[in-house]
Amino acid sequence: MATAELAGKHLVLGMTGGIACYKIAELTRLLTKAGATVQVAMTEAATQFITPVTMQALSGHPVYTSQWDARIDNNMPHIDLSRTAQAIVIAPASADFLAKLAHGRADDLLSTLCLARDCPLLVVPAMNRQMWANPATQRNVAQLRADGVVVLGPDSGAQACGEIGDGRMLEPQATYEAIASFFQPKCIAGRRVLVTAGPTFEPIDPVRGLTNRSSGKMGFALARAAQQAGAEVRLIAGPVSLDTPWGVVREDVETAQQMYDAVMQSAADCDVFIAVAAVADWRVDQASADKIKKTADGRVPSLAFVENPDILATVAQLPDAPYCVGFAAESSELEAHAQEKRQRKGVPLLIGNLGPQTFGRDDNEVVLVDASGTTRLARMDKNALAAALIREIARRLPDASLIS
Ligand code: CTP
């Protein structure tokens, strides 16, 4: 997340009383690091869990806790604070505060701010599982959703009270991702996008195998960007140690054949297939069931290979094939190789870069090759590039004009 993807965004971060207040310190850091201006307002109860001084230091702005704050010239902090905000995020949102919001009450600074707002309201509930499951809370949440309030989470799992269930606040990173996603234009809304990412691993024996240096970062960034742009995303990943992007369904595989099988299961149900994985071209014929041992005479083993199926080319040939996008890292003559590969694979769009020096890097520079020629994009970090590529893909889709 090196990108300042929330640059220019002004958020009011409203905190209500709950032990999850400790998570907001980290959330504030993530939001400010991404370029957002964060104005914190806390209820009296929230200040019992974390101090305004901490939140002031992290956000870099004075924290407001009272309706009667003399620091605001016109003495109308509820108007003043919400006027410049592009969104109000209530995190953690207690059961009591959700009830207040659902009924339009305005008896403290934060509830007044929410009622007097002219911007979207996002709430991140955090409470004990029984409070969350209570019909009154569920009724309030349903009412808030009907009023257009965006409800993020809650999560399920161990709770501060020692119980296990629904009601935990989303982790700071997940909350950050959901907020970042909220702000992205929904250029690929409603489409089902299937992405492959990472390397594959082809076993030689139970302890050895062949793989490559793909980090999976570009494929994961594309899955994240497609989700943020409104798509329903399924990610089929080779062995990588990357977190699953928020809101993305992930399936882990190891070999090229497993990736092929997983893709074929989902290919008929997707509108766009983006093949980013660095799939092994060959696998070892008859991998050994036992570890291959050294021999006393120093004889080295020889390996026989068989070709793996070409996943992208196979999907592109399906009747009613999804819109297929390939990736290619070439070591020379990028544009010529990419155009030839696009035609050979039978895909409308191929994204090429000069690799393998891009493997593992956080930025990338690519060319887009389609039937009309080549478009070069400037060097960008992988998240910004992924968002740009999703826009490029979205506008090339057959009925793109139907999508906002
Ligand atoms: N690909 C695939 N299945 C394979 C091999 C490649 O789906 N078995 C996809 C990759 O995910 C990528 C594109 O095809 O989107 C191009 O991959 P690349 O390895 O460059 O293609 P190859 O056909 O293997 O070409 P080369 O001979 O240059 O290795």
Side-chain angles (χ1 to χ4, degrees), residues 141-210:
V141 170
Q143 182 61 56
L144 290 173
R145 285 203 174 99
D147 292 346
V149 174
V150 178
V151 181
L152 304 177
D155 229 343
S156 197
Q159 303 201 310
C161 55
E163 297 184 356
I164 295 177
D166 291 344
R168 244 172 93 97
M169 196 189 121
L170 292 180
E171 291 306 316
Q173 184 69 44
T175 310
Y176 169 81
E177 295 290 332
I179 294 169
S181 174
F182 174 79
F183 280 113
Q184 294 306 314
K186 304 295 177 233
C187 65
I188 198 163
R191 307 286 192 156
R192 298 160 303 174
V193 175
L194 180 65
V195 182
T196 63
T200 58
F201 179 90
E202 307 297 328
I204 295 172
D205 68 15
V207 295
R208 303 184 182 92
L210 297 171

Side-chain angles (χ1 to χ4, degrees), residues 349-371:
L349 178 63
L350 194 115
I351 297 161
N353 63 30
L354 277 176
Q357 59 269 38
T358 57
F359 282 5
R361 282 183 63 133
D362 286 326
D363 61 1
N364 203 347
E365 188 178 357
V366 301
V367 294
L368 281 82
V369 179
D370 63 13

Side-chain angles (χ1 to χ4, degrees), residues 97-109:
F97 198 78
L98 294 178
K100 256 190 199 180
L101 284 177
H103 291 89
R105 294 195 55 187
D107 62 355
D108 62 6
L109 173 64

Side-chain angles (χ1 to χ4, degrees), residues 209-403:
L210 297 171
T211 187
N212 61 63
R213 294 172 58 205
S214 165
S215 66
K217 284 181 183 171
M218 193 66 231
F220 275 59
L222 272 159
R224 176 180 187 266
Q227 190 283 331
Q228 293 199 343
E232 195 183 299
V233 183
R234 185 172 189 86
L235 172 63
I236 298 174
V240 293
S241 54
L242 295 173
D243 291 336
T244 308
W246 188 78
V248 167
V249 176
R250 170 176 178 177
E251 184 176 347
D252 285 325
V253 295
E254 209 159 67
T255 65
Q257 185 63 49
Q258 288 166 357
M259 188 172 275
Y260 175 90
D261 293 341
V263 166
M264 289 307 152
Q265 285 264 320
S266 302
D269 297 324
C270 69
D271 304 304
V272 182
F273 175 50
I274 312 178
V276 198
V279 185
D281 290 321
W282 310 281
R283 65 175 177 274
V284 175
D285 192 18
Q286 316 282 352
S288 171
D290 296 312
K291 184 180 174 195
I292 302 171
K293 307 294 280 181
K294 277 194 285 191
T295 54
D297 60 4
R299 201 161 33 89
V300 294
S302 59
L303 298 173
F305 290 95
V306 287
E307 195 167 321
N308 277 322
D310 190 315
I311 304 169
L312 178 61
T314 310
V315 173
Q317 278 160 22
L318 289 174
D320 289 329
Y323 184 85
C324 287
V325 183
F327 264 74
E330 304 293 340
S331 55
S332 65
E333 293 180 68
L334 176 59
E335 291 174 26
H337 283 310
Q339 192 58 271
E340 179 279 321
K341 194 169 282 184
R342 183 188 77 79
Q343 284 160 4
R344 174 159 49 87
K345 302 248 174 189
V347 299
L349 178 63
L350 194 115
I351 297 161
N353 63 30
L354 277 176
Q357 59 269 38
T358 57
F359 282 5
R361 282 183 63 133
D362 286 326
D363 61 1
N364 203 347
E365 188 178 357
V366 301
V367 294
L368 281 82
V369 179
D370 63 13
S372 63
T374 302
T375 316
R376 185 171 289 273
L377 297 186
R379 176 168 290 279
M380 290 180 236
D381 79 69
K382 282 186 181 173
N383 278 341
L385 179 62
L389 289 176
I390 293 297
R391 283 194 295 276
E392 292 283 347
I393 292 168
R395 72 180 180 81
R396 286 173 168 81
L397 295 181
D399 44 357
S401 59
L402 300 176
I403 304 291

Side-chain angles (χ1 to χ4, degrees), residues 49-85:
F49 290 91
I50 189 166
T51 70
V53 175
T54 303
M55 297 313 301
Q56 175 167 347
L58 291 168
S59 66
H61 294 284
V63 171
Y64 292 93
T65 56
S66 163
Q67 251 168 315
W68 319 115
D69 196 315
R71 285 174 297 179
I72 295 192
D73 289 344
N74 61 8
N75 231 334
M76 287 195 279
H78 59 291
I79 305 293
D80 224 62
L81 292 180
S82 61
R83 191 174 282 154
T84 47

